[in-house]
Amino acid sequence: MPRSVAEQAPRTRLGLAPNIGYMPPIVHGFDWPDRFVIGTVGQPGSRTFYMQPRTGSRMVSVSLEKDQSAALAERIEEVLDELMETDGNPYSVPALTPEGLVDNEPLEQPVEEEFRAGVMSLGWDPTTAQIVIEAFPIIEVDVDEFEDVEVIEVEPEEAFLVRIPVGTARAFAKRTREVVGAGRPICPLCRLPMDSDDHICELPDGFR
């Protein structure tokens, strides 16, 4: 098992990446938070996803895409499963969400977006047995100035950093998968999401 495992969620819409080694002047850091969840605001079909850690009365809400949420949950479970398969399971990684860590409560209020996540990373710190989640904001630039550059290194003004133990990480991933899957139902015919209004779909050739 390598000392760290990293995964980037989809890059920002403009292909920006934070300058490696750069530390933003503002870091919204939470080490062993009292609560850390992904939740949504809005109705299915128009939901906004938020990551929300809280320690005491201090809380931050960072918005992200549904696909980013799903990818984060999937990768966390992959990392936990890899760690659990290490001889003797030295980090005591649970196979399932510990009962006392189940959290089905909604996001805490008020939900005030700190920033919208662009590049995200996932890591493992073996010295503290913690999953480490980082997110950097989307930064708008004039892409015409960089038309010949595939990835633009930037220095974001802020970052989001959360460190959670393995049990909390397992609970976080399970809840996130459930939140992602709680959107609009899928039409059994066209396999597209159905809105609350009357759904009209195009049937494949041969169906009437």
mmCIF file of all heavy atoms in Angstrom, residues 86-132:
data_model
loop_
_atom_site.group_PDB
_atom_site.id
_atom_site.type_symbol
_atom_site.label_atom_id
_atom_site.label_comp_id
_atom_site.label_asym_id
_atom_site.label_seq_id
_atom_site.Cartn_x
_atom_site.Cartn_y
_atom_site.Cartn_z
ATOM 1 N N THR A 86 -5.238 -4.802 3.785
ATOM 2 C CA THR A 86 -3.857 -4.897 4.263
ATOM 3 C C THR A 86 -3.787 -5.930 5.377
ATOM 4 O O THR A 86 -4.695 -6.038 6.208
ATOM 5 C CB THR A 86 -3.381 -3.533 4.793
ATOM 6 O OG1 THR A 86 -3.524 -2.552 3.762
ATOM 7 C CG2 THR A 86 -1.918 -3.600 5.242
ATOM 8 N N ASP A 87 -2.714 -6.718 5.423
ATOM 9 C CA ASP A 87 -2.584 -7.791 6.414
ATOM 10 C C ASP A 87 -2.885 -7.299 7.819
ATOM 11 O O ASP A 87 -2.258 -6.351 8.314
ATOM 12 C CB ASP A 87 -1.165 -8.379 6.384
ATOM 13 C CG ASP A 87 -0.903 -9.179 5.113
ATOM 14 O OD1 ASP A 87 -1.892 -9.541 4.445
ATOM 15 O OD2 ASP A 87 0.279 -9.432 4.790
ATOM 16 N N GLY A 88 -3.872 -7.922 8.446
ATOM 17 C CA GLY A 88 -4.212 -7.583 9.825
ATOM 18 C C GLY A 88 -5.097 -6.355 9.960
ATOM 19 O O GLY A 88 -5.450 -5.986 11.090
ATOM 20 N N ASN A 89 -5.452 -5.715 8.837
ATOM 21 C CA ASN A 89 -6.271 -4.496 8.881
ATOM 22 C C ASN A 89 -5.753 -3.556 9.973
ATOM 23 O O ASN A 89 -6.464 -3.225 10.926
ATOM 24 C CB ASN A 89 -7.745 -4.843 9.130
ATOM 25 C CG ASN A 89 -8.688 -3.665 8.915
ATOM 26 O OD1 ASN A 89 -8.288 -2.591 8.469
ATOM 27 N ND2 ASN A 89 -9.950 -3.868 9.259
ATOM 28 N N PRO A 90 -4.494 -3.091 9.861
ATOM 29 C CA PRO A 90 -3.867 -2.338 10.950
ATOM 30 C C PRO A 90 -4.557 -1.025 11.293
ATOM 31 O O PRO A 90 -4.369 -0.495 12.389
ATOM 32 C CB PRO A 90 -2.445 -2.085 10.421
ATOM 33 C CG PRO A 90 -2.574 -2.132 8.932
ATOM 34 C CD PRO A 90 -3.609 -3.179 8.671
ATOM 35 N N TYR A 91 -5.361 -0.488 10.366
ATOM 36 C CA TYR A 91 -6.027 0.785 10.639
ATOM 37 C C TYR A 91 -7.472 0.610 11.106
ATOM 38 O O TYR A 91 -8.205 1.587 11.236
ATOM 39 C CB TYR A 91 -5.985 1.670 9.393
ATOM 40 C CG TYR A 91 -4.577 1.977 8.933
ATOM 41 C CD1 TYR A 91 -4.057 1.384 7.785
ATOM 42 C CD2 TYR A 91 -3.748 2.833 9.658
ATOM 43 C CE1 TYR A 91 -2.758 1.645 7.366
ATOM 44 C CE2 TYR A 91 -2.455 3.099 9.246
ATOM 45 C CZ TYR A 91 -1.968 2.503 8.107
ATOM 46 O OH TYR A 91 -0.673 2.757 7.694
ATOM 47 N N SER A 92 -7.858 -0.665 11.333
ATOM 48 C CA SER A 92 -9.212 -0.981 11.830
ATOM 49 C C SER A 92 -10.288 -0.344 10.962
ATOM 50 O O SER A 92 -11.229 0.292 11.452
ATOM 51 C CB SER A 92 -9.370 -0.517 13.290
ATOM 52 O OG SER A 92 -8.422 -1.157 14.129
ATOM 53 N N VAL A 93 -10.158 -0.526 9.668
ATOM 54 C CA VAL A 93 -11.138 0.021 8.735
ATOM 55 C C VAL A 93 -12.399 -0.833 8.778
ATOM 56 O O VAL A 93 -12.336 -2.042 8.561
ATOM 57 C CB VAL A 93 -10.584 0.050 7.297
ATOM 58 C CG1 VAL A 93 -11.629 0.586 6.332
ATOM 59 C CG2 VAL A 93 -9.314 0.894 7.238
ATOM 60 N N PRO A 94 -13.558 -0.234 9.051
ATOM 61 C CA PRO A 94 -14.796 -1.025 9.095
ATOM 62 C C PRO A 94 -15.281 -1.366 7.693
ATOM 63 O O PRO A 94 -15.142 -0.575 6.766
ATOM 64 C CB PRO A 94 -15.777 -0.090 9.808
ATOM 65 C CG PRO A 94 -15.299 1.285 9.455
ATOM 66 C CD PRO A 94 -13.792 1.191 9.381
ATOM 67 N N ALA A 95 -15.871 -2.555 7.543
ATOM 68 C CA ALA A 95 -16.413 -2.951 6.252
ATOM 69 C C ALA A 95 -17.716 -2.225 5.954
ATOM 70 O O ALA A 95 -18.041 -1.964 4.798
ATOM 71 C CB ALA A 95 -16.634 -4.458 6.212
ATOM 72 N N LEU A 96 -18.460 -1.886 7.009
ATOM 73 C CA LEU A 96 -19.728 -1.187 6.882
ATOM 74 C C LEU A 96 -19.713 0.054 7.757
ATOM 75 O O LEU A 96 -18.837 0.224 8.604
ATOM 76 C CB LEU A 96 -20.888 -2.103 7.288
ATOM 77 C CG LEU A 96 -21.034 -3.413 6.502
ATOM 78 C CD1 LEU A 96 -22.117 -4.277 7.137
ATOM 79 C CD2 LEU A 96 -21.350 -3.143 5.040
ATOM 80 N N THR A 97 -20.698 0.915 7.565
ATOM 81 C CA THR A 97 -20.793 2.121 8.377
ATOM 82 C C THR A 97 -21.076 1.751 9.831
ATOM 83 O O THR A 97 -22.058 1.059 10.106
ATOM 84 C CB THR A 97 -21.930 3.036 7.874
ATOM 85 O OG1 THR A 97 -21.655 3.417 6.532
ATOM 86 C CG2 THR A 97 -22.051 4.279 8.736
ATOM 87 N N PRO A 98 -20.234 2.169 10.757
ATOM 88 C CA PRO A 98 -20.526 1.921 12.171
ATOM 89 C C PRO A 98 -21.881 2.524 12.547
ATOM 90 O O PRO A 98 -22.212 3.634 12.142
ATOM 91 C CB PRO A 98 -19.373 2.630 12.896
ATOM 92 C CG PRO A 98 -18.261 2.678 11.882
ATOM 93 C CD PRO A 98 -18.945 2.854 10.558
ATOM 94 N N GLU A 99 -22.657 1.766 13.333
ATOM 95 C CA GLU A 99 -24.031 2.188 13.634
ATOM 96 C C GLU A 99 -24.095 3.587 14.228
ATOM 97 O O GLU A 99 -24.980 4.381 13.899
ATOM 98 C CB GLU A 99 -24.671 1.180 14.590
ATOM 99 C CG GLU A 99 -26.129 1.470 14.884
ATOM 100 C CD GLU A 99 -26.766 0.399 15.736
ATOM 101 O OE1 GLU A 99 -26.160 -0.681 15.897
ATOM 102 O OE2 GLU A 99 -27.880 0.628 16.249
ATOM 103 N N GLY A 100 -23.172 3.908 15.100
ATOM 104 C CA GLY A 100 -23.210 5.206 15.762
ATOM 105 C C GLY A 100 -22.849 6.373 14.860
ATOM 106 O O GLY A 100 -22.991 7.531 15.271
ATOM 107 N N LEU A 101 -22.392 6.085 13.631
ATOM 108 C CA LEU A 101 -21.981 7.159 12.721
ATOM 109 C C LEU A 101 -22.971 7.392 11.590
ATOM 110 O O LEU A 101 -22.735 8.234 10.732
ATOM 111 C CB LEU A 101 -20.597 6.837 12.142
ATOM 112 C CG LEU A 101 -19.442 6.797 13.154
ATOM 113 C CD1 LEU A 101 -18.134 6.430 12.447
ATOM 114 C CD2 LEU A 101 -19.298 8.138 13.867
ATOM 115 N N VAL A 102 -24.079 6.657 11.586
ATOM 116 C CA VAL A 102 -25.103 6.869 10.562
ATOM 117 C C VAL A 102 -25.689 8.275 10.728
ATOM 118 O O VAL A 102 -26.075 8.678 11.820
ATOM 119 C CB VAL A 102 -26.220 5.814 10.661
ATOM 120 C CG1 VAL A 102 -27.347 6.131 9.687
ATOM 121 C CG2 VAL A 102 -25.665 4.424 10.391
ATOM 122 N N ASP A 103 -25.728 9.016 9.642
ATOM 123 C CA ASP A 103 -26.213 10.403 9.683
ATOM 124 C C ASP A 103 -27.129 10.638 8.485
ATOM 125 O O ASP A 103 -26.671 10.768 7.353
ATOM 126 C CB ASP A 103 -25.028 11.379 9.644
ATOM 127 C CG ASP A 103 -25.447 12.835 9.826
ATOM 128 O OD1 ASP A 103 -26.637 13.138 9.647
ATOM 129 O OD2 ASP A 103 -24.575 13.670 10.124
ATOM 130 N N ASN A 104 -28.426 10.691 8.749
ATOM 131 C CA ASN A 104 -29.396 10.928 7.688
ATOM 132 C C ASN A 104 -30.070 12.288 7.815
ATOM 133 O O ASN A 104 -31.092 12.541 7.165
ATOM 134 C CB ASN A 104 -30.460 9.822 7.704
ATOM 135 C CG ASN A 104 -29.874 8.455 7.380
ATOM 136 O OD1 ASN A 104 -29.032 8.330 6.491
ATOM 137 N ND2 ASN A 104 -30.308 7.429 8.106
ATOM 138 N N GLU A 105 -29.498 13.148 8.647
ATOM 139 C CA GLU A 105 -30.085 14.463 8.855
ATOM 140 C C GLU A 105 -29.747 15.404 7.691
ATOM 141 O O GLU A 105 -28.731 15.220 7.021
ATOM 142 C CB GLU A 105 -29.595 15.062 10.170
ATOM 143 C CG GLU A 105 -30.014 14.262 11.399
ATOM 144 C CD GLU A 105 -31.523 14.154 11.511
ATOM 145 O OE1 GLU A 105 -32.198 15.195 11.368
ATOM 146 O OE2 GLU A 105 -32.019 13.038 11.734
ATOM 147 N N PRO A 106 -30.573 16.408 7.438
ATOM 148 C CA PRO A 106 -30.298 17.353 6.350
ATOM 149 C C PRO A 106 -29.111 18.252 6.662
ATOM 150 O O PRO A 106 -28.572 18.239 7.785
ATOM 151 C CB PRO A 106 -31.600 18.163 6.250
ATOM 152 C CG PRO A 106 -32.188 18.090 7.622
ATOM 153 C CD PRO A 106 -31.841 16.716 8.136
ATOM 154 N N LEU A 107 -28.700 19.022 5.677
ATOM 155 C CA LEU A 107 -27.650 20.008 5.883
ATOM 156 C C LEU A 107 -28.068 20.971 6.989
ATOM 157 O O LEU A 107 -29.242 21.267 7.171
ATOM 158 C CB LEU A 107 -27.393 20.795 4.599
ATOM 159 C CG LEU A 107 -26.801 20.031 3.411
ATOM 160 C CD1 LEU A 107 -26.855 20.895 2.163
ATOM 161 C CD2 LEU A 107 -25.375 19.586 3.707
ATOM 162 N N GLU A 108 -27.080 21.468 7.706
ATOM 163 C CA GLU A 108 -27.366 22.443 8.746
ATOM 164 C C GLU A 108 -27.524 23.832 8.122
ATOM 165 O O GLU A 108 -26.916 24.145 7.103
ATOM 166 C CB GLU A 108 -26.251 22.427 9.793
ATOM 167 C CG GLU A 108 -26.145 21.079 10.503
ATOM 168 C CD GLU A 108 -25.159 21.079 11.644
ATOM 169 O OE1 GLU A 108 -25.180 22.033 12.443
ATOM 170 O OE2 GLU A 108 -24.366 20.117 11.746
ATOM 171 N N GLN A 109 -28.340 24.625 8.754
ATOM 172 C CA GLN A 109 -28.636 25.963 8.247
ATOM 173 C C GLN A 109 -27.873 27.023 9.034
ATOM 174 O O GLN A 109 -27.574 26.829 10.212
ATOM 175 C CB GLN A 109 -30.143 26.222 8.339
ATOM 176 C CG GLN A 109 -30.986 25.254 7.528
ATOM 177 C CD GLN A 109 -30.740 25.351 6.043
ATOM 178 O OE1 GLN A 109 -30.534 26.449 5.507
ATOM 179 N NE2 GLN A 109 -30.762 24.208 5.359
ATOM 180 N N PRO A 110 -27.524 28.141 8.393
ATOM 181 C CA PRO A 110 -27.802 28.448 6.983
ATOM 182 C C PRO A 110 -26.767 27.825 6.059
ATOM 183 O O PRO A 110 -25.605 27.677 6.430
ATOM 184 C CB PRO A 110 -27.715 29.973 6.960
ATOM 185 C CG PRO A 110 -26.684 30.293 8.006
ATOM 186 C CD PRO A 110 -26.884 29.278 9.097
ATOM 187 N N VAL A 111 -27.211 27.458 4.857
ATOM 188 C CA VAL A 111 -26.287 26.948 3.845
ATOM 189 C C VAL A 111 -25.837 28.132 2.993
ATOM 190 O O VAL A 111 -26.582 28.630 2.161
ATOM 191 C CB VAL A 111 -26.961 25.882 2.965
ATOM 192 C CG1 VAL A 111 -25.981 25.389 1.900
ATOM 193 C CG2 VAL A 111 -27.453 24.716 3.810
ATOM 194 N N GLU A 112 -24.618 28.571 3.224
ATOM 195 C CA GLU A 112 -24.062 29.723 2.514
ATOM 196 C C GLU A 112 -22.801 29.280 1.774
ATOM 197 O O GLU A 112 -21.808 28.914 2.404
ATOM 198 C CB GLU A 112 -23.744 30.858 3.495
ATOM 199 C CG GLU A 112 -24.973 31.370 4.234
ATOM 200 C CD GLU A 112 -24.645 32.415 5.278
ATOM 201 O OE1 GLU A 112 -23.449 32.535 5.630
ATOM 202 O OE2 GLU A 112 -25.570 33.096 5.755
ATOM 203 N N GLU A 113 -22.863 29.304 0.455
ATOM 204 C CA GLU A 113 -21.754 28.791 -0.357
ATOM 205 C C GLU A 113 -20.479 29.597 -0.137
ATOM 206 O O GLU A 113 -20.444 30.796 -0.346
ATOM 207 C CB GLU A 113 -22.141 28.826 -1.836
ATOM 208 C CG GLU A 113 -21.053 28.289 -2.752
ATOM 209 C CD GLU A 113 -21.415 28.435 -4.218
ATOM 210 O OE1 GLU A 113 -22.066 27.523 -4.755
ATOM 211 O OE2 GLU A 113 -21.054 29.477 -4.818
ATOM 212 N N GLU A 114 -19.431 28.897 0.288
ATOM 213 C CA GLU A 114 -18.117 29.527 0.424
ATOM 214 C C GLU A 114 -17.480 29.684 -0.938
ATOM 215 O O GLU A 114 -16.946 30.731 -1.281
ATOM 216 C CB GLU A 114 -17.227 28.687 1.339
ATOM 217 C CG GLU A 114 -15.984 29.388 1.805
ATOM 218 C CD GLU A 114 -16.307 30.520 2.758
ATOM 219 O OE1 GLU A 114 -17.179 30.371 3.624
ATOM 220 O OE2 GLU A 114 -15.663 31.582 2.618
ATOM 221 N N PHE A 115 -17.527 28.620 -1.739
ATOM 222 C CA PHE A 115 -17.113 28.657 -3.137
ATOM 223 C C PHE A 115 -17.608 27.387 -3.814
ATOM 224 O O PHE A 115 -18.109 26.472 -3.154
ATOM 225 C CB PHE A 115 -15.594 28.829 -3.303
ATOM 226 C CG PHE A 115 -14.754 27.718 -2.731
ATOM 227 C CD1 PHE A 115 -14.598 26.509 -3.402
ATOM 228 C CD2 PHE A 115 -14.068 27.882 -1.529
ATOM 229 C CE1 PHE A 115 -13.802 25.489 -2.888
ATOM 230 C CE2 PHE A 115 -13.273 26.873 -1.009
ATOM 231 C CZ PHE A 115 -13.146 25.674 -1.688
ATOM 232 N N ARG A 116 -17.474 27.346 -5.124
ATOM 233 C CA ARG A 116 -17.853 26.155 -5.893
ATOM 234 C C ARG A 116 -16.596 25.367 -6.225
ATOM 235 O O ARG A 116 -15.633 25.921 -6.756
ATOM 236 C CB ARG A 116 -18.599 26.545 -7.167
ATOM 237 C CG ARG A 116 -19.179 25.348 -7.916
ATOM 238 C CD ARG A 116 -20.251 25.767 -8.898
ATOM 239 N NE ARG A 116 -20.997 24.616 -9.410
ATOM 240 C CZ ARG A 116 -21.982 24.017 -8.776
ATOM 241 N NH1 ARG A 116 -22.343 24.454 -7.584
ATOM 242 N NH2 ARG A 116 -22.609 22.980 -9.307
ATOM 243 N N ALA A 117 -16.609 24.094 -5.914
ATOM 244 C CA ALA A 117 -15.416 23.268 -6.067
ATOM 245 C C ALA A 117 -15.102 23.007 -7.531
ATOM 246 O O ALA A 117 -15.990 22.709 -8.337
ATOM 247 C CB ALA A 117 -15.595 21.941 -5.338
ATOM 248 N N GLY A 118 -13.831 23.151 -7.869
ATOM 249 C CA GLY A 118 -13.341 22.787 -9.188
ATOM 250 C C GLY A 118 -12.511 21.519 -9.054
ATOM 251 O O GLY A 118 -13.034 20.413 -8.992
ATOM 252 N N VAL A 119 -11.194 21.672 -8.958
ATOM 253 C CA VAL A 119 -10.302 20.531 -8.741
ATOM 254 C C VAL A 119 -10.444 20.031 -7.314
ATOM 255 O O VAL A 119 -10.492 20.814 -6.369
ATOM 256 C CB VAL A 119 -8.839 20.919 -9.030
ATOM 257 C CG1 VAL A 119 -7.883 19.808 -8.603
ATOM 258 C CG2 VAL A 119 -8.663 21.212 -10.509
ATOM 259 N N MET A 120 -10.529 18.708 -7.167
ATOM 260 C CA MET A 120 -10.572 18.077 -5.847
ATOM 261 C C MET A 120 -9.516 16.983 -5.782
ATOM 262 O O MET A 120 -9.106 16.440 -6.804
ATOM 263 C CB MET A 120 -11.959 17.484 -5.586
ATOM 264 C CG MET A 120 -13.073 18.506 -5.569
ATOM 265 S SD MET A 120 -14.700 17.751 -5.301
ATOM 266 C CE MET A 120 -14.461 17.046 -3.651
ATOM 267 N N SER A 121 -9.066 16.680 -4.570
ATOM 268 C CA SER A 121 -8.109 15.595 -4.404
ATOM 269 C C SER A 121 -8.460 14.787 -3.172
ATOM 270 O O SER A 121 -9.072 15.295 -2.221
ATOM 271 C CB SER A 121 -6.673 16.128 -4.297
ATOM 272 O OG SER A 121 -6.482 16.809 -3.072
ATOM 273 N N LEU A 122 -8.088 13.523 -3.211
ATOM 274 C CA LEU A 122 -8.327 12.608 -2.094
ATOM 275 C C LEU A 122 -7.013 11.953 -1.715
ATOM 276 O O LEU A 122 -6.283 11.467 -2.589
ATOM 277 C CB LEU A 122 -9.350 11.545 -2.494
ATOM 278 C CG LEU A 122 -9.626 10.447 -1.469
ATOM 279 C CD1 LEU A 122 -10.332 11.028 -0.252
ATOM 280 C CD2 LEU A 122 -10.470 9.341 -2.097
ATOM 281 N N GLY A 123 -6.692 11.955 -0.439
ATOM 282 C CA GLY A 123 -5.441 11.358 0.006
ATOM 283 C C GLY A 123 -5.615 10.559 1.280
ATOM 284 O O GLY A 123 -6.673 10.583 1.925
ATOM 285 N N TRP A 124 -4.558 9.833 1.650
ATOM 286 C CA TRP A 124 -4.549 9.019 2.858
ATOM 287 C C TRP A 124 -3.311 9.383 3.667
ATOM 288 O O TRP A 124 -2.194 9.395 3.148
ATOM 289 C CB TRP A 124 -4.526 7.533 2.511
ATOM 290 C CG TRP A 124 -4.183 6.622 3.646
ATOM 291 C CD1 TRP A 124 -3.030 5.899 3.819
ATOM 292 C CD2 TRP A 124 -4.991 6.344 4.792
ATOM 293 N NE1 TRP A 124 -3.072 5.176 4.981
ATOM 294 C CE2 TRP A 124 -4.263 5.434 5.612
ATOM 295 C CE3 TRP A 124 -6.240 6.765 5.222
ATOM 296 C CZ2 TRP A 124 -4.767 4.951 6.816
ATOM 297 C CZ3 TRP A 124 -6.745 6.286 6.423
ATOM 298 C CH2 TRP A 124 -6.013 5.390 7.198
ATOM 299 N N ASP A 125 -3.514 9.707 4.958
ATOM 300 C CA ASP A 125 -2.406 10.036 5.846
ATOM 301 C C ASP A 125 -2.228 8.881 6.826
ATOM 302 O O ASP A 125 -2.999 8.737 7.778
ATOM 303 C CB ASP A 125 -2.711 11.333 6.611
ATOM 304 C CG ASP A 125 -1.535 11.800 7.453
ATOM 305 O OD1 ASP A 125 -0.581 11.008 7.658
ATOM 306 O OD2 ASP A 125 -1.561 12.958 7.914
ATOM 307 N N PRO A 126 -1.205 8.028 6.615
ATOM 308 C CA PRO A 126 -1.021 6.873 7.491
ATOM 309 C C PRO A 126 -0.542 7.244 8.890
ATOM 310 O O PRO A 126 -0.674 6.450 9.819
ATOM 311 C CB PRO A 126 0.032 6.039 6.749
ATOM 312 C CG PRO A 126 0.804 7.049 5.961
ATOM 313 C CD PRO A 126 -0.188 8.093 5.553
ATOM 314 N N THR A 127 -0.002 8.445 9.051
ATOM 315 C CA THR A 127 0.499 8.836 10.376
ATOM 316 C C THR A 127 -0.636 9.115 11.351
ATOM 317 O O THR A 127 -0.480 8.977 12.565
ATOM 318 C CB THR A 127 1.406 10.076 10.275
ATOM 319 O OG1 THR A 127 0.637 11.188 9.799
ATOM 320 C CG2 THR A 127 2.557 9.813 9.319
ATOM 321 N N THR A 128 -1.793 9.509 10.821
ATOM 322 C CA THR A 128 -2.957 9.790 11.674
ATOM 323 C C THR A 128 -4.145 8.897 11.336
ATOM 324 O O THR A 128 -5.191 9.007 11.975
ATOM 325 C CB THR A 128 -3.399 11.262 11.526
ATOM 326 O OG1 THR A 128 -3.739 11.536 10.162
ATOM 327 C CG2 THR A 128 -2.281 12.202 11.969
ATOM 328 N N ALA A 129 -3.978 8.029 10.340
ATOM 329 C CA ALA A 129 -5.060 7.141 9.885
ATOM 330 C C ALA A 129 -6.285 7.953 9.489
ATOM 331 O O ALA A 129 -7.406 7.683 9.926
ATOM 332 C CB ALA A 129 -5.409 6.103 10.944
ATOM 333 N N GLN A 130 -6.068 8.940 8.629
ATOM 334 C CA GLN A 130 -7.162 9.808 8.201
ATOM 335 C C GLN A 130 -7.239 9.901 6.682
ATOM 336 O O GLN A 130 -6.208 9.938 6.000
ATOM 337 C CB GLN A 130 -6.985 11.224 8.750
ATOM 338 C CG GLN A 130 -7.230 11.370 10.241
ATOM 339 C CD GLN A 130 -6.916 12.782 10.700
ATOM 340 O OE1 GLN A 130 -5.800 13.274 10.501
ATOM 341 N NE2 GLN A 130 -7.891 13.437 11.298
ATOM 342 N N ILE A 131 -8.465 9.954 6.179
ATOM 343 C CA ILE A 131 -8.721 10.308 4.789
ATOM 344 C C ILE A 131 -8.644 11.832 4.691
ATOM 345 O O ILE A 131 -9.180 12.540 5.548
ATOM 346 C CB ILE A 131 -10.105 9.817 4.341
ATOM 347 C CG1 ILE A 131 -10.149 8.282 4.280
ATOM 348 C CG2 ILE A 131 -10.492 10.427 3.001
ATOM 349 C CD1 ILE A 131 -9.363 7.669 3.145
ATOM 350 N N VAL A 132 -7.981 12.332 3.661
ATOM 351 C CA VAL A 132 -7.790 13.773 3.498
ATOM 352 C C VAL A 132 -8.460 14.212 2.198
ATOM 353 O O VAL A 132 -8.153 13.695 1.125
ATOM 354 C CB VAL A 132 -6.294 14.141 3.468
ATOM 355 C CG1 VAL A 132 -6.127 15.649 3.350
ATOM 356 C CG2 VAL A 132 -5.591 13.608 4.714
#
